[in-house]
Amino acid sequence: MNRTFRVRISCWIARIGRSATLALHIGFGIVACWLGGEIGAAEVGFNEDVRPILAEHCLHCHGPDEAERQGDLRLDLESAAKAVAIVPGAPDQSLLIERLITDDADLRMPPADTGKPLSSAQIETLRQWISAGAKYQGHWAFEPIRKPEVPSVQGDALTEIDRFVVSQLEARGLHLAPVVSRPQLIRRASLDLIGLPPTWEEVQAFVSDPDPDAFARVIDRLLESPRYGERWGRHWLDIARYADTHGGAAIGFKRFPFSYTYRDYVIKAFNADLPYDRFVTEQLAADQLGLAENDPALAALGFLTVGMQFRNPHDVIDDQIDVVTRGLMGLTVACARCHDHKYDPIPTADYYSLYATFASSTRPGLLPTVGTPDDTPAYQAYQIELQKRQIAATNMRRDQTQVMRSRLRMQVAMYLRELAKGTAEQDLSAAFLSYRTDDLRPLVLNRWRDYLAELPANDPVFGPWKQLSSVAADDFATRCQELLQVWKTENGDPATFANQHALASATPKWNPRVLAAIEAQPPTSPVELADVYGKMFAELNRQWLQALLDVSLGAVEGVAVITDEDGRYEPINSAVNAQLRRHLYEPGTPTAMDDELASTLLNRTVRDNLNGKEGAIHGLQLSDAGSPPRAMVLTETVPDQPFRIFVRGNPISRGEVVEPHFLTALTSATATPSIFPDGKRRRALAESIVDPNNPLSRRVFVNWVWQQHFGRGLVRTPDDFGTRSQPPTHPELLDYLASTFLESGGSLKQLHRQIMLSQVYQQGSVENLEARNADADNKLLWRMPRRRLDLEAMRDSMLAVSGELDVAEIGGRPFELLSHPAVPRRSVYGFVNRDIVSSLASTFDVADANTCTALRPETTVPQQTLFALNSPFIQDRAAAFAKLSVDIEDRATRVAAMYQRAYGREPNDEERQAALEFVGEAAPDAEAWNQLAHVLLASNEFIFVD
């Protein structure tokens, strides 16, 4: 862009605008006036005033976390606090106040090194609270939801929502702002519900409709539009940390082939107004609802599976716990992974109860299709190629894992030796490391450790190992010989177990080959005993493999037949050998594992080649024209062993056994949480979350919906309803909305209607100095907050106004959002890369796809202005926008048409005159018209919603 054009735009922006509003400018950056003010109160309330102080400054050391608690003092429990630190009615006699104001640096609280001193105002708040009796309250978010009485008000209030808000305003001598004009209202509603501006025809129809229910019909029309699901689906995808790549890549990125099926499920669910309970349940447990094999609702499980693909499996489960608890219930349960939550009543045991809920689920090798694919030539070709690539991968996996298992059976000595040395349990989160043949596999070592620990001391093969493991080092050799004689005596006459070539051969109490090996090479330490066992097992396996070859060759045509009990069959028929081989080949033994698990232990060269074959399948699923959509599902299996707490988050430092169950804080104080049933653990969790008695889920959801309409929720911390949260600005309204949401059957569309038909929603965003002085942060909602469009709505609105937006195609594989020329589809269908975040996404505060995002950040940075000035995207849209009106000969009429299309209104006289002067006598297709269109698209009126 040349300097002359920049100057012309600057001059133009300085002139254009309506006198009733702030002057338009291209900066995208009017900073909203969120001035920090507090609403005064006649008396100090615990939840409103005291709890936030304690949570921020005190509970880290004097809260629920027993391991970190200092001085055996709890300030979160009334009885404990008043027993030690608080004297109700007497602040000067209370240890709490004494320690807050003392001049002794060693005694003053909080300690100076925390960097969190209390202000004088906060100390005075605590004084007033103690003087009034230091009354505690249960945390508001954990209290049952009760539908409150709708308050009475003096002025007009059309809806129940208005009466809740107006009652608080009247108590402060304030009132709502005047209702906006109809053009402004339909623009606000359209951008809120479908993320697109209204057409001029839609504006005119609404303005000319005298019916009092005209706006209700506008809302209904927007809610029935397919564009609604695209808009609100994008909001939900922030919660679900949706992305199209795995994440965590050091170089490049790896795509999900089917992440888009979850995105499409969400859009369809919003358009269908799927009841919220069902929406949540399908996302957590669609596979446990008895659905058909290819039911499209199975794609809902992407909520759990589309997150970042950590190499450490414990981190994957932690991510699932976080998105479920923070996204659906506003609780930071993931903070209890290593210790009890420092602020909320969430013990570590609760975290690992949820861990047990998710850890029993895995992803199947082949995902189910979403619906039944059409039998097209492309699909048929895909099926043929898929089978070809699957066979190649399966053949290699089968053969190479068999080789690997055979090697492990020859390496028993290496693993027993490590156990004899006392090598600690291995952390399997490092299982992604590469191996060579002679490398010790941590997984196999752990399997040997666990396996031997479960064997009884009288096991015929490993009984001697178990008994000798407790013998002192200086007595090992002697004691070993003594026990050897005992074992031989207990075995009796060797003749009783001779003739091992016979199929009916028997075994004595102790395996004779084990005793013979110990006798032939007397060990003097546990390590030497490990070598004895290892050498014996290696020879046993060698004989077995050789015998298999020999007897197999006996079946070759023309070779003399050997009878089944011939002496040459002894390595196979021997009951003594079979007793030994059981510990190598029996399912559940350390070296007998399925191909899927064994493939993770392959040598690096082999693993890389197998990855290449599996990658070929991935590539086919990702890009082949015949590849059908598939649901990213989970399947649950009953675990072999119980789950335990990881002490301090360390997976090899196990504590108490935990059962899968719901959070104890949300369970009746007189009841024990019910254990989730095997095979239905995630379903039981979903049912607990959507249970009408759960005090959090509905509060969190209606608050999130309110936030999308007003820019801020009734609770300003939408993903944290714990003790550190800000209390709701209108607690009765929050519970009223939660109650009516339940009564509506969980209908989101009904909730939209309820909110948008209120005067609170329809009021203007005009400034009021008196109200600003009384309530600087607009907590009382005396005006509608002005909001900037998010990136998706901004991009889509520009495409719509330029006449380029293509809404015919719904769903499907993602397109490249930053391609040039631009793909004119809705932004929700754009490719989301969590590995390489585009500068455009970061500039305009797009959600971080690595984590659940309930509230996007809001920044104002120079790069936003540079985008407006220099972006090829906006310049191309401006050119297309200007071209739409190129056939209008009258310049004033053309200017009006451009205003109508961009802003949904007529230009005023000043704006019309400024625009005409700007374009002058330029030809209809001259650059000046493009520049005018550019200014209109880059203005605050276009980018902000009043």
Short mmCIF file of all heavy atoms in Angstrom, two decimals, residues 233 236-244 258-270 279 282-284 296-307 323 328 370 629-632:
data_model
loop_
_atom_site.label_atom_id
_atom_site.label_comp_id
_atom_site.label_asym_id
_atom_site.label_seq_id
_atom_site.Cartn_x
_atom_site.Cartn_y
_atom_site.Cartn_z
N GLY A 233 -21.23 -23.58 17.25
CA GLY A 233 -20.32 -24.71 17.26
C GLY A 233 -18.89 -24.26 17.42
O GLY A 233 -18.10 -24.90 18.14
N TRP A 236 -18.16 -23.60 21.01
CA TRP A 236 -17.96 -24.81 21.80
C TRP A 236 -16.60 -25.46 21.50
O TRP A 236 -15.99 -26.07 22.38
CB TRP A 236 -19.08 -25.82 21.53
CG TRP A 236 -18.96 -27.03 22.41
CD1 TRP A 236 -18.47 -28.25 22.08
CD2 TRP A 236 -19.33 -27.10 23.80
NE1 TRP A 236 -18.50 -29.09 23.17
CE2 TRP A 236 -19.03 -28.40 24.24
CE3 TRP A 236 -19.88 -26.20 24.71
CZ2 TRP A 236 -19.26 -28.82 25.55
CZ3 TRP A 236 -20.11 -26.61 26.01
CH2 TRP A 236 -19.80 -27.91 26.41
N LEU A 237 -16.14 -25.35 20.27
CA LEU A 237 -14.85 -25.94 19.93
C LEU A 237 -13.71 -25.32 20.73
O LEU A 237 -12.68 -25.97 20.93
CB LEU A 237 -14.59 -25.80 18.43
CG LEU A 237 -15.55 -26.57 17.51
CD1 LEU A 237 -15.22 -26.32 16.05
CD2 LEU A 237 -15.53 -28.07 17.81
N ASP A 238 -13.88 -24.10 21.20
CA ASP A 238 -12.89 -23.52 22.11
C ASP A 238 -12.83 -24.32 23.41
O ASP A 238 -11.75 -24.60 23.94
CB ASP A 238 -13.25 -22.06 22.45
CG ASP A 238 -12.98 -21.10 21.31
OD1 ASP A 238 -12.53 -21.56 20.24
OD2 ASP A 238 -13.22 -19.90 21.49
N ILE A 239 -14.01 -24.66 23.93
CA ILE A 239 -14.07 -25.47 25.15
C ILE A 239 -13.39 -26.81 24.91
O ILE A 239 -12.63 -27.31 25.75
CB ILE A 239 -15.53 -25.70 25.57
CG1 ILE A 239 -16.21 -24.38 25.95
CG2 ILE A 239 -15.61 -26.72 26.70
CD1 ILE A 239 -15.86 -23.86 27.30
N ALA A 240 -13.67 -27.41 23.77
CA ALA A 240 -13.20 -28.77 23.46
C ALA A 240 -11.76 -28.82 23.01
O ALA A 240 -11.28 -29.88 22.63
CB ALA A 240 -14.10 -29.39 22.40
N ARG A 241 -11.03 -27.70 23.02
CA ARG A 241 -9.64 -27.54 22.54
C ARG A 241 -9.45 -28.25 21.20
O ARG A 241 -8.51 -29.00 20.97
CB ARG A 241 -8.61 -27.94 23.59
CG ARG A 241 -8.32 -29.42 23.81
CD ARG A 241 -9.21 -30.00 24.88
NE ARG A 241 -8.87 -31.36 25.22
CZ ARG A 241 -9.53 -32.43 24.77
NH1 ARG A 241 -10.57 -32.30 23.94
NH2 ARG A 241 -9.17 -33.64 25.16
N TYR A 242 -10.38 -27.93 20.28
CA TYR A 242 -10.40 -28.58 18.97
C TYR A 242 -9.21 -28.13 18.13
O TYR A 242 -8.85 -26.95 18.09
CB TYR A 242 -11.69 -28.24 18.23
CG TYR A 242 -11.70 -28.73 16.81
CD1 TYR A 242 -12.08 -30.03 16.51
CD2 TYR A 242 -11.31 -27.90 15.76
CE1 TYR A 242 -12.08 -30.50 15.21
CE2 TYR A 242 -11.31 -28.36 14.45
CZ TYR A 242 -11.69 -29.66 14.18
OH TYR A 242 -11.68 -30.12 12.89
N ALA A 243 -8.60 -29.09 17.44
CA ALA A 243 -7.56 -28.80 16.46
C ALA A 243 -7.51 -29.95 15.47
O ALA A 243 -8.03 -31.04 15.71
CB ALA A 243 -6.21 -28.59 17.13
N ASP A 244 -6.83 -29.71 14.36
CA ASP A 244 -6.70 -30.73 13.31
C ASP A 244 -5.31 -31.36 13.30
O ASP A 244 -5.00 -32.14 12.40
CB ASP A 244 -7.01 -30.12 11.94
CG ASP A 244 -8.45 -29.65 11.84
OD1 ASP A 244 -9.35 -30.50 12.05
OD2 ASP A 244 -8.69 -28.46 11.58
N PHE A 258 -9.49 -37.46 10.94
CA PHE A 258 -10.94 -37.39 11.13
C PHE A 258 -11.38 -36.43 12.23
O PHE A 258 -12.50 -36.54 12.73
CB PHE A 258 -11.48 -38.79 11.42
CG PHE A 258 -11.12 -39.80 10.37
CD1 PHE A 258 -10.28 -40.86 10.67
CD2 PHE A 258 -11.61 -39.69 9.08
CE1 PHE A 258 -9.93 -41.79 9.70
CE2 PHE A 258 -11.27 -40.61 8.11
CZ PHE A 258 -10.43 -41.67 8.41
N SER A 259 -10.55 -35.49 12.60
CA SER A 259 -10.96 -34.53 13.62
C SER A 259 -12.20 -33.77 13.19
O SER A 259 -13.05 -33.41 14.02
CB SER A 259 -9.81 -33.55 13.91
OG SER A 259 -9.32 -32.99 12.69
N TYR A 260 -12.33 -33.54 11.90
CA TYR A 260 -13.46 -32.75 11.39
C TYR A 260 -14.80 -33.41 11.70
O TYR A 260 -15.83 -32.72 11.75
CB TYR A 260 -13.31 -32.53 9.88
CG TYR A 260 -13.50 -33.76 9.03
CD1 TYR A 260 -14.75 -34.09 8.53
CD2 TYR A 260 -12.42 -34.58 8.71
CE1 TYR A 260 -14.93 -35.22 7.74
CE2 TYR A 260 -12.58 -35.71 7.93
CZ TYR A 260 -13.83 -36.03 7.45
OH TYR A 260 -14.00 -37.14 6.67
N THR A 261 -14.82 -34.72 11.92
CA THR A 261 -16.11 -35.36 12.20
C THR A 261 -16.65 -34.91 13.55
O THR A 261 -17.88 -34.85 13.73
CB THR A 261 -15.99 -36.89 12.17
OG1 THR A 261 -15.05 -37.32 13.17
CG2 THR A 261 -15.51 -37.36 10.81
N TYR A 262 -15.76 -34.61 14.49
CA TYR A 262 -16.24 -34.07 15.77
C TYR A 262 -16.77 -32.66 15.58
O TYR A 262 -17.83 -32.31 16.09
CB TYR A 262 -15.13 -34.06 16.82
CG TYR A 262 -15.54 -33.33 18.09
CD1 TYR A 262 -16.52 -33.85 18.91
CD2 TYR A 262 -14.98 -32.09 18.42
CE1 TYR A 262 -16.94 -33.17 20.06
CE2 TYR A 262 -15.39 -31.41 19.56
CZ TYR A 262 -16.37 -31.96 20.37
OH TYR A 262 -16.79 -31.27 21.49
N ARG A 263 -16.04 -31.85 14.82
CA ARG A 263 -16.51 -30.48 14.55
C ARG A 263 -17.88 -30.51 13.89
O ARG A 263 -18.79 -29.75 14.27
CB ARG A 263 -15.49 -29.77 13.66
CG ARG A 263 -15.91 -28.39 13.17
CD ARG A 263 -16.10 -28.43 11.66
NE ARG A 263 -14.85 -28.53 10.97
CZ ARG A 263 -14.70 -29.06 9.74
NH1 ARG A 263 -15.77 -29.56 9.10
NH2 ARG A 263 -13.53 -29.12 9.16
N ASP A 264 -18.07 -31.39 12.92
CA ASP A 264 -19.36 -31.47 12.23
C ASP A 264 -20.46 -31.96 13.16
O ASP A 264 -21.62 -31.52 13.08
CB ASP A 264 -19.25 -32.38 11.01
CG ASP A 264 -18.38 -31.77 9.91
OD1 ASP A 264 -18.02 -30.59 10.04
OD2 ASP A 264 -18.05 -32.49 8.95
N TYR A 265 -20.12 -32.89 14.05
CA TYR A 265 -21.10 -33.35 15.05
C TYR A 265 -21.57 -32.18 15.90
O TYR A 265 -22.78 -32.03 16.15
CB TYR A 265 -20.48 -34.43 15.94
CG TYR A 265 -21.25 -34.61 17.24
CD1 TYR A 265 -22.40 -35.40 17.29
CD2 TYR A 265 -20.86 -33.95 18.40
CE1 TYR A 265 -23.12 -35.53 18.47
CE2 TYR A 265 -21.58 -34.07 19.58
CZ TYR A 265 -22.71 -34.86 19.61
OH TYR A 265 -23.43 -34.97 20.77
N VAL A 266 -20.64 -31.36 16.37
CA VAL A 266 -21.00 -30.24 17.24
C VAL A 266 -21.93 -29.28 16.51
O VAL A 266 -22.95 -28.83 17.07
CB VAL A 266 -19.72 -29.52 17.73
CG1 VAL A 266 -20.08 -28.21 18.43
CG2 VAL A 266 -18.93 -30.41 18.66
N ILE A 267 -21.61 -28.96 15.28
CA ILE A 267 -22.44 -28.03 14.50
C ILE A 267 -23.86 -28.59 14.34
O ILE A 267 -24.85 -27.87 14.53
CB ILE A 267 -21.79 -27.75 13.14
CG1 ILE A 267 -20.49 -26.95 13.33
CG2 ILE A 267 -22.75 -27.01 12.20
CD1 ILE A 267 -19.66 -26.78 12.07
N LYS A 268 -23.95 -29.86 14.01
CA LYS A 268 -25.28 -30.47 13.84
C LYS A 268 -26.04 -30.51 15.15
O LYS A 268 -27.25 -30.32 15.19
CB LYS A 268 -25.11 -31.87 13.27
CG LYS A 268 -24.62 -31.89 11.82
CD LYS A 268 -24.36 -33.32 11.34
CE LYS A 268 -23.82 -33.32 9.91
NZ LYS A 268 -23.49 -34.69 9.45
N ALA A 269 -25.32 -30.76 16.25
CA ALA A 269 -25.98 -30.82 17.56
C ALA A 269 -26.57 -29.47 17.93
O ALA A 269 -27.69 -29.39 18.45
CB ALA A 269 -24.98 -31.29 18.62
N PHE A 270 -25.84 -28.40 17.68
CA PHE A 270 -26.36 -27.06 17.98
C PHE A 270 -27.55 -26.73 17.08
O PHE A 270 -28.54 -26.17 17.53
CB PHE A 270 -25.26 -26.02 17.85
CG PHE A 270 -24.42 -25.87 19.08
CD1 PHE A 270 -23.19 -26.49 19.18
CD2 PHE A 270 -24.86 -25.12 20.15
CE1 PHE A 270 -22.41 -26.36 20.32
CE2 PHE A 270 -24.09 -24.98 21.29
CZ PHE A 270 -22.86 -25.61 21.38
N PHE A 279 -26.24 -33.95 24.89
CA PHE A 279 -25.03 -33.41 24.26
C PHE A 279 -23.79 -33.77 25.07
O PHE A 279 -22.79 -34.24 24.53
CB PHE A 279 -25.19 -31.89 24.12
CG PHE A 279 -24.05 -31.18 23.45
CD1 PHE A 279 -23.64 -31.54 22.17
CD2 PHE A 279 -23.41 -30.12 24.08
CE1 PHE A 279 -22.60 -30.87 21.54
CE2 PHE A 279 -22.39 -29.44 23.46
CZ PHE A 279 -21.97 -29.81 22.19
N GLU A 282 -23.26 -37.78 25.16
CA GLU A 282 -22.70 -38.34 23.93
C GLU A 282 -21.21 -38.02 23.81
O GLU A 282 -20.42 -38.85 23.33
CB GLU A 282 -23.45 -37.80 22.72
CG GLU A 282 -24.85 -38.39 22.57
CD GLU A 282 -25.60 -37.91 21.35
OE1 GLU A 282 -25.12 -36.96 20.68
OE2 GLU A 282 -26.68 -38.46 21.06
N GLN A 283 -20.81 -36.85 24.24
CA GLN A 283 -19.40 -36.48 24.12
C GLN A 283 -18.49 -37.26 25.08
O GLN A 283 -17.30 -37.41 24.84
CB GLN A 283 -19.23 -34.98 24.36
CG GLN A 283 -19.81 -34.15 23.23
CD GLN A 283 -19.65 -32.66 23.48
OE1 GLN A 283 -18.71 -32.04 23.02
NE2 GLN A 283 -20.57 -32.10 24.23
N LEU A 284 -19.06 -37.77 26.15
CA LEU A 284 -18.27 -38.54 27.11
C LEU A 284 -18.43 -40.05 26.94
O LEU A 284 -17.52 -40.80 27.27
CB LEU A 284 -18.65 -38.16 28.54
CG LEU A 284 -18.42 -36.71 28.96
CD1 LEU A 284 -18.68 -36.54 30.45
CD2 LEU A 284 -17.01 -36.26 28.63
N PRO A 296 -23.85 -41.73 13.63
CA PRO A 296 -23.09 -40.47 13.56
C PRO A 296 -22.79 -39.86 14.92
O PRO A 296 -21.81 -39.12 15.07
CB PRO A 296 -24.02 -39.57 12.73
CG PRO A 296 -24.82 -40.51 11.90
CD PRO A 296 -25.04 -41.71 12.76
N ALA A 297 -23.60 -40.16 15.94
CA ALA A 297 -23.38 -39.59 17.26
C ALA A 297 -22.09 -40.08 17.90
O ALA A 297 -21.57 -39.46 18.84
CB ALA A 297 -24.55 -39.89 18.19
N LEU A 298 -21.51 -41.17 17.40
CA LEU A 298 -20.24 -41.66 17.94
C LEU A 298 -19.12 -40.65 17.73
O LEU A 298 -18.14 -40.64 18.46
CB LEU A 298 -19.88 -43.00 17.30
CG LEU A 298 -20.75 -44.20 17.71
CD1 LEU A 298 -20.43 -45.40 16.83
CD2 LEU A 298 -20.54 -44.54 19.17
N ALA A 299 -19.29 -39.79 16.73
CA ALA A 299 -18.28 -38.75 16.49
C ALA A 299 -18.16 -37.79 17.65
O ALA A 299 -17.17 -37.07 17.78
CB ALA A 299 -18.61 -37.99 15.20
N ALA A 300 -19.17 -37.78 18.53
CA ALA A 300 -19.13 -36.89 19.70
C ALA A 300 -17.95 -37.18 20.60
O ALA A 300 -17.48 -36.30 21.34
CB ALA A 300 -20.44 -37.03 20.49
N LEU A 301 -17.43 -38.40 20.57
CA LEU A 301 -16.32 -38.77 21.44
C LEU A 301 -15.03 -38.02 21.10
O LEU A 301 -14.05 -38.09 21.84
CB LEU A 301 -16.08 -40.28 21.38
CG LEU A 301 -17.16 -41.09 22.10
CD1 LEU A 301 -17.07 -42.56 21.71
CD2 LEU A 301 -17.03 -40.93 23.61
N GLY A 302 -15.04 -37.29 20.00
CA GLY A 302 -13.91 -36.42 19.70
C GLY A 302 -13.64 -35.42 20.81
O GLY A 302 -12.53 -34.92 20.95
N PHE A 303 -14.65 -35.13 21.62
CA PHE A 303 -14.46 -34.24 22.76
C PHE A 303 -13.32 -34.74 23.65
O PHE A 303 -12.56 -33.95 24.21
CB PHE A 303 -15.75 -34.16 23.57
CG PHE A 303 -15.70 -33.22 24.75
CD1 PHE A 303 -15.75 -31.85 24.57
CD2 PHE A 303 -15.61 -33.71 26.04
CE1 PHE A 303 -15.70 -30.97 25.63
CE2 PHE A 303 -15.58 -32.86 27.13
CZ PHE A 303 -15.62 -31.48 26.92
N LEU A 304 -13.18 -36.05 23.77
CA LEU A 304 -12.12 -36.64 24.58
C LEU A 304 -10.86 -36.93 23.78
O LEU A 304 -9.76 -36.90 24.33
CB LEU A 304 -12.61 -37.93 25.24
CG LEU A 304 -13.75 -37.81 26.25
CD1 LEU A 304 -14.18 -39.19 26.73
CD2 LEU A 304 -13.35 -36.93 27.43
N THR A 305 -11.00 -37.21 22.50
CA THR A 305 -9.87 -37.74 21.72
C THR A 305 -9.18 -36.72 20.83
O THR A 305 -8.11 -37.02 20.30
CB THR A 305 -10.34 -38.91 20.86
OG1 THR A 305 -11.40 -38.48 19.99
CG2 THR A 305 -10.85 -40.05 21.72
N VAL A 306 -9.75 -35.55 20.65
CA VAL A 306 -9.18 -34.59 19.70
C VAL A 306 -8.18 -33.65 20.36
O VAL A 306 -7.64 -32.76 19.72
CB VAL A 306 -10.32 -33.78 19.02
CG1 VAL A 306 -10.79 -32.63 19.91
CG2 VAL A 306 -9.89 -33.28 17.65
N GLY A 307 -7.92 -33.87 21.63
CA GLY A 307 -6.95 -33.03 22.34
C GLY A 307 -5.53 -33.31 21.93
O GLY A 307 -5.24 -34.15 21.06
N VAL A 323 -10.36 -31.11 30.52
CA VAL A 323 -11.40 -30.60 29.63
C VAL A 323 -12.79 -30.94 30.15
O VAL A 323 -13.74 -30.15 29.99
CB VAL A 323 -11.21 -31.13 28.19
CG1 VAL A 323 -11.57 -32.60 28.07
CG2 VAL A 323 -12.02 -30.31 27.19
N LEU A 328 -16.78 -28.42 31.64
CA LEU A 328 -18.19 -28.71 31.91
C LEU A 328 -18.63 -28.30 33.30
O LEU A 328 -19.82 -28.07 33.53
CB LEU A 328 -18.47 -30.21 31.72
CG LEU A 328 -18.15 -30.80 30.34
CD1 LEU A 328 -18.48 -32.27 30.30
CD2 LEU A 328 -18.89 -30.05 29.23
N VAL A 370 -18.71 -42.88 10.01
CA VAL A 370 -19.87 -42.08 10.42
C VAL A 370 -20.97 -42.31 9.40
O VAL A 370 -20.94 -41.78 8.29
CB VAL A 370 -19.49 -40.58 10.49
CG1 VAL A 370 -20.72 -39.75 10.84
CG2 VAL A 370 -18.38 -40.36 11.51
N PRO A 629 -15.71 -40.51 6.27
CA PRO A 629 -15.52 -39.94 7.61
C PRO A 629 -15.63 -41.02 8.68
O PRO A 629 -16.47 -41.92 8.57
CB PRO A 629 -16.65 -38.91 7.71
CG PRO A 629 -17.68 -39.37 6.74
CD PRO A 629 -16.95 -40.02 5.62
N ARG A 630 -14.79 -40.91 9.71
CA ARG A 630 -14.79 -41.89 10.79
C ARG A 630 -14.85 -41.17 12.13
O ARG A 630 -14.35 -40.05 12.27
CB ARG A 630 -13.56 -42.79 10.72
CG ARG A 630 -13.49 -43.65 9.46
CD ARG A 630 -12.27 -44.56 9.45
NE ARG A 630 -12.19 -45.33 8.21
CZ ARG A 630 -12.78 -46.51 8.01
NH1 ARG A 630 -13.48 -47.06 9.01
NH2 ARG A 630 -12.66 -47.15 6.87
N ALA A 631 -15.44 -41.83 13.09
CA ALA A 631 -15.60 -41.26 14.42
C ALA A 631 -14.39 -41.61 15.28
O ALA A 631 -13.96 -42.76 15.33
CB ALA A 631 -16.88 -41.79 15.08
N MET A 632 -13.84 -40.60 15.96
CA MET A 632 -12.67 -40.80 16.82
C MET A 632 -13.12 -41.30 18.19
O MET A 632 -13.19 -40.56 19.17
CB MET A 632 -11.88 -39.50 16.92
CG MET A 632 -11.29 -39.04 15.60
SD MET A 632 -10.48 -37.42 15.68
CE MET A 632 -9.17 -37.73 16.87
#
